[in-house]
Amino acid sequence: MVKYTYYGHSCFLLDDGKYKVLCDPFLTGNPKAAIKADEVECDYILITHAHGDHLGDAPEIAGRTGAELVGIPEVLAICEERLPGLKQHPMNLGGSLTLPFGKVRMTLAQHSSGVAGGVACGYVIYMGGLVIYFAGDTALFSDMQLIGHKDTLDYAILPIGDNYTMGLEDAAMAAQLLNAPHVIPVHYNTWPIINQDVRHYKEITEAMTRAEVHIVEPGESREL
C-alpha cells in the first residue's frame, strides 16, 4: 500500500509507511501549493527536469531533511551549485536504480530540459508492491506503449494542462497507450494558461480506455 499526497502542480509525495518519495517539489511560488517547503518531509526526491516549476525547492528540502536526490546529472549539478554536498543519485534515460523502498527506472519525456546538456525525463517507480509511472512534463509520444508493455503499470500520473505539455485529448491517448488501470492527472489549473476541466478529462479518458481517473485536489491524499 502506498499513500499518494498531492501538493499541487506536479508535486506529490509517495509514502509506503517507511519511506517517503517526493516528486518535483515546486512549492515556493506555487499558488496551489498545499504545504510549505520547510514543512515537507521526505527520504528521496525525484526531479524530472530543471524548469523552476519542477526543480523548485529540491536542493533546500534535501539539505534540510537529508533526502537523496535522483535526476539527470546536469539537473543535479544545478542542485549542487545551489547547495553543495547533497546526497545524489545521477541517472540517465533507460537506467534503473535500486533504492531501499524498491526501484526507479528513468524514462523518456518529450519536453525541454531547462538546463544546457540535460534532457527531461519521467520515472517508473516500484514501491509498496505497486508500479507507478510519473510522466513528468511531456508531449504525447508513441513509445508510451513500450513503457506500459515493459512495466505492467498500476497507476499513471499524467500532465493534462496543455500549452506546455499534453492537453486533455493527448493525455487520454497517453492513458490508452500506457494501458494503466488507474490515472491521476497533474500539472493543470496552477495558472490560467494551463486551466483545464479535469472532470471532462475524466469523462473522455474513461470512455476510451480501461482506466479509472482519480481526481486528487491539492492537499488531499489517496491510498493507492
Side-chain angles (χ1 to χ4, degrees):
M1 189 72 71
V2 175
K3 184 168 77 169
Y4 168 93
T5 301
Y6 185 40
Y7 290 141
H9 199 54
S10 287
C11 180
F12 60 89
L13 185 77
L14 300 174
D15 184 351
D16 68 357
K18 185 174 182 181
Y19 295 101
K20 294 180 172 64
V21 177
L22 183 66
C23 295
D24 281 357
F26 167 51
L27 298 170
T28 301
N30 177 357
K32 299 290 186 179
I35 195 170
K36 294 180 180 178
D38 60 3
E39 296 173 337
V40 68
E41 298 294 334
C42 59
D43 302 293
Y44 296 89
I45 302 173
L46 307 186
I47 307 167
T48 61
H49 62 293
H51 288 154
D53 61 328
H54 293 265
L55 175 62
D57 301 288
E60 292 75 21
I61 293 171
R64 177 178 58 81
T65 63
E68 301 180 31
L69 296 166
V70 178
I72 290 282
E74 291 83 355
V75 175
L76 296 186
I78 294 176
C79 297
E80 181 68 16
E81 289 175 4
R82 277 171 48 178
L83 195 61
L86 300 172
K87 299 175 186 175
Q88 298 187 359
H89 292 285
M91 297 181 68
N92 220 309
L93 300 178
S96 296
L97 175 66
T98 299
L99 294 167
F101 63 82
K103 185 176 77 171
V104 296
R105 185 167 71 84
M106 185 176 279
T107 63
L108 177 69
Q110 294 286 6
H111 191 70
S112 57
S113 67
V115 59
V119 295
C121 72
Y123 293 95
V124 176
I125 305 163
Y126 287 75
M127 186 177 191
L130 297 174
V131 183
I132 302 162
Y133 170 56
F134 174 36
D137 275 9
T138 189
L140 174 68
F141 58 99
S142 61
D143 281 357
M144 286 180 172
Q145 188 169 12
L146 290 178
I147 295 172
H149 178 73
K150 184 178 189 300
D151 300 285
T152 302
L153 305 174
D154 296 296
Y155 281 82
I157 301 171
L158 304 177
I160 68 166
D162 213 345
N163 196 78
Y164 297 111
T165 68
M166 299 184 290
L168 302 187
E169 293 79 8
D170 282 4
M173 291 184 67
Q176 189 175 55
L177 291 174
L178 292 161
N179 196 33
H182 302 279
V183 171
I184 300 174
V186 296
H187 202 278
Y188 67 96
N189 292 358
T190 314
W191 302 284
I193 198 168
I194 58 170
N195 280 354
Q196 293 293 334
D197 182 350
V198 68
R199 300 200 175 277
H200 181 55
Y201 175 69
K202 177 178 173 69
E203 290 170 2
I204 62 175
T205 302
E206 292 182 348
M208 64 185 287
T209 75
R210 74 186 186 108
E212 181 180 2
V213 176
H214 306 280
I215 300 170
V216 184
E217 298 294 337
E220 291 184 349
S221 297
R222 178 180 178 84
E223 296 290 341
L224 306 186

